[in-house]
Each structure stands twice: as structure tokens, then as C-alpha cells.
Amino acid sequence: LEAIRAGRTFITNGPLLELRVNGHSPGATVNSTDGKPLRVAMRVLAPSWMRVDRLELWADDKLAWSAAIPAANAGEALSFEADFETPIRARALQAVAHGGTGLDKLLGRTGIEPLAFTNAVYLTPAAARAKH
């Protein structure tokens, strides 16, 4: 319950998704310093029968980074990681993983793609910190 209250959550219909910004998880506020890039680490995991095609990083309401996820070998679970530095400046960052197949057979309906997204990691620019 403490993690939920702190916003350290993600929503999913299948894939597991992790986001870290400068080592902080969703719900945290990261003090970003002008001129220094942010370290972003994301990881998506899915069972072997589920296909997830894309991993994205959203800055506020704009797509800031995107990568195609290569298919796992037949019978192997999907594990895809991205770790990079970026000069993105925004109020919040969120990760999204989606696409592919796997839920149709499980749920008995078509058109349902795997989807996961994290709560935001909030960014406080140096100028905003100076006011407090």
C-alpha cells in the first residue's frame, strides 16, 4: 500500500514494465540539473506466448524516445532493456510498452494488444528548486 500511495506503480494487461530515471522509480521526484543529461533505464518482460513490439519514453505528452523490440526466440520469455542518457527537459517522464499479439488467444477476443505503462517520474528543474 505504501508503494501505491507513493505512485510507484504501473498498469498492464500482461507485460511487466520498469522505469528508472537517475535511479528513481515512478512516483519519485528527480531534481534535474540544467545541462546534465538524465539517465533513463527501462525494462519490459513478457511470457513466451506474448509479443510486445515497442518500448517508448514519453516526456509530458510527447513521444521522446522509441525502440522496436526484437522478437524473443521461440519458447523463450521476452526480456528487453534500454539504458541511455538524454538531455530531455520535461515535467514528467513515463514508459510505455505495447503492440504485438498474445492476448487474443488468452481472452478469446481479437484486437487486444499487450499494453503496459508506468506512473510518472516527476522532474524538478534547478530553476524551480531555487524558488523554494
Side-chain angles (χ1 to χ4, degrees), residues 26-49:
T29 300
V30 174
N31 292 326
S32 58
T33 305
D34 294 335
K36 288 193 176 183
L38 298 169
R39 168 64 75 191
V40 175
M42 296 182 286
R43 181 169 71 153
V44 61
L45 304 168
S48 60
W49 49 267

Side-chain angles (χ1 to χ4, degrees), residues 109-132:
R109 298 189 312 205
T110 59
I112 301 171
E113 79 174 29
L115 173 67
F117 57 93
T118 67
N119 196 359
V121 173
Y122 302 97
L123 304 177
T124 304
R129 285 196 319 271
K131 294 177 185 178
H132 299 303

Side-chain angles (χ1 to χ4, degrees), residues 94-111:
Q94 289 180 277
V96 177
H98 63 90
T101 59
L103 295 176
D104 292 353
K105 289 180 185 175
L106 179 68
L107 299 175
R109 298 189 312 205
T110 59

Side-chain angles (χ1 to χ4, degrees), residues 2 12 38 47 59-60 66 69 74 81 85 98 106 123-124:
E2 182 181 322
T12 186
L38 298 169
D60 297 331
S66 180
I69 299 174
E81 296 183 32
E85 287 189 345
H98 63 90
L106 179 68
L123 304 177
T124 304

Side-chain angles (χ1 to χ4, degrees), residues 42-73:
M42 296 182 286
R43 181 169 71 153
V44 61
L45 304 168
S48 60
W49 49 267
M50 184 181 294
R51 178 79 181 100
V52 180
D53 296 331
R54 185 149 299 281
L55 180 60
E56 300 171 343
L57 179 68
W58 287 77
D60 297 331
D61 60 350
K62 294 179 177 54
L63 180 63
W65 179 91
S66 180
I69 299 174
N73 293 327

